Amino acid sequence: MPKNIFSRVQSRSLTRHHKIAMAGVATLGAAAIGFSAVPSGASTTTTTEAAQPAAVAYSTQQIKDVKASVTDQMAGASVKAEQIAAKKKAEAAAAAKKKAAAEAAKKKAEAERKAKEAASRAAKRAAAKKSYPNNLDGWIRESLDVMKKHGIPGSYEGIKRNIIRESSGNPRAINNWDINAINGIPSKGLLQVIPPTFKHWHVPGTSWDIYDPVANITAACNYAADKYGSMDNVDSAY
């Protein structure tokens, strides 16, 4: 075989071997570089351990803080609401107490005013009420005032004249011998009035005791006014 042909074949053969070797070296080198640059175990472990714990830790802390903040806000709002409610309740109680005190004071003042007015009226009545002596003159004058209020006619002279004739001015006088006594209803008092007549002609505001001087005179004059026009017109037994 010619030399040049061998050389070409050898050259081609070496060249092909070299190419294969170089390709293998390149492949191994690339693999080595790949393994060296990005180790599979380290890459997986590092990525998981670095990313996951950080994310979990960050997320947990944030949620916890937000929840605590909301809880604190709600608690604060609740306390504030309770304080406002308590304040309103206290204010309402104070207002009610003040109102009750004002009403009590008003009622007390009104009661005192009415008491003073009543006392004043009583004092005026007492001052206006005449004082009469406890004798024939006083009895007649008091009877005339009562008669005047009820529109019963009569005069001092006419009343006194008939009293002297009937009882001599004795308020406890009683007739036990005339027809009335015989019938069991004797005449009694200053103007000698029988009980049925006294009861029928009794004047309000006077005593129901037939022996009471003023009551006896007033009832007798009331009866005489109806039967004779006035006690002044009576000059004998009536």
Side-chain angles (χ1 to χ4, degrees):
M1 179 179 293
K3 183 178 181 181
N4 57 348
I5 293 173
F6 177 79
S7 297
R8 285 197 297 269
V9 172
Q10 187 179 21
S11 175
R12 187 182 300 119
S13 177
L14 289 173
T15 301
R16 184 177 179 186
H17 176 75
H18 290 164
K19 286 181 178 180
I20 293 171
M22 289 177 66
V25 170
T27 301
L28 291 173
I33 292 170
F35 281 115
S36 177
V38 187
S40 60
S43 176
T44 303
T45 304
T46 303
T47 302
T48 303
E49 292 179 356
Q52 192 173 10
V56 171
Y58 176 79
S59 177
T60 303
Q61 185 62 35
Q62 289 296 102
I63 293 172
K64 182 179 180 181
D65 291 343
V66 169
K67 183 177 180 181
S69 177
V70 171
T71 303
D72 291 342
Q73 290 178 11
M74 291 178 64
S78 178
V79 170
K80 188 175 181 180
E82 289 178 358
Q83 290 175 345
I84 292 172
K87 184 178 180 181
K88 288 183 178 180
K89 185 177 181 180
E91 289 175 350
K97 186 176 181 181
K98 185 177 180 181
K99 184 178 180 181
E103 290 178 353
K106 185 178 179 181
K107 288 181 180 180
K108 184 179 179 182
E110 182 67 14
E112 290 177 350
R113 183 185 66 79
K114 288 182 178 180
K116 286 181 180 179
E117 289 180 353
S120 178
R121 288 194 296 268
K124 287 179 180 179
R125 286 195 299 268
K129 187 176 181 180
K130 293 181 180 179
S131 179
Y132 305 96
N134 188 28
N135 53 34
L136 182 59
D137 178 72
W139 301 332
I140 294 174
R141 294 187 184 282
E142 185 174 353
S143 294
L144 285 168
D145 287 339
V146 175
M147 290 163 59
K148 184 177 180 180
K149 290 178 181 178
H150 293 275
I152 302 170
S155 68
Y156 182 93
E157 290 74 15
I159 294 172
K160 186 175 182 179
R161 172 169 47 82
N162 281 284
I163 287 174
I164 296 302
R165 187 189 68 252
E166 292 292 334
S167 64
S168 300
N170 178 12
R172 304 297 299 181
I174 182 171
N175 187 324
N176 290 316
W177 56 269
D178 66 3
I179 189 62
N180 291 320
I182 294 172
N183 293 330
I185 47 172
S187 302
K188 300 176 180 179
L190 288 174
L191 283 171
Q192 292 294 285
V193 185
I194 59 175
T197 300
F198 175 80
K199 184 178 181 180
H200 181 79
W201 298 101
H202 173 266
V203 178
T206 62
S207 172
W208 281 94
D209 180 4
I210 195 170
Y211 291 108
D212 179 85
V214 175
N216 188 281
I217 293 170
T218 308
C221 289
N222 195 24
Y223 163 73
D226 180 74
K227 189 172 183 178
Y228 305 102
S230 171
M231 182 62 75
D232 295 349
N233 299 328
V234 178
D235 291 311
S236 62
Y238 61 104

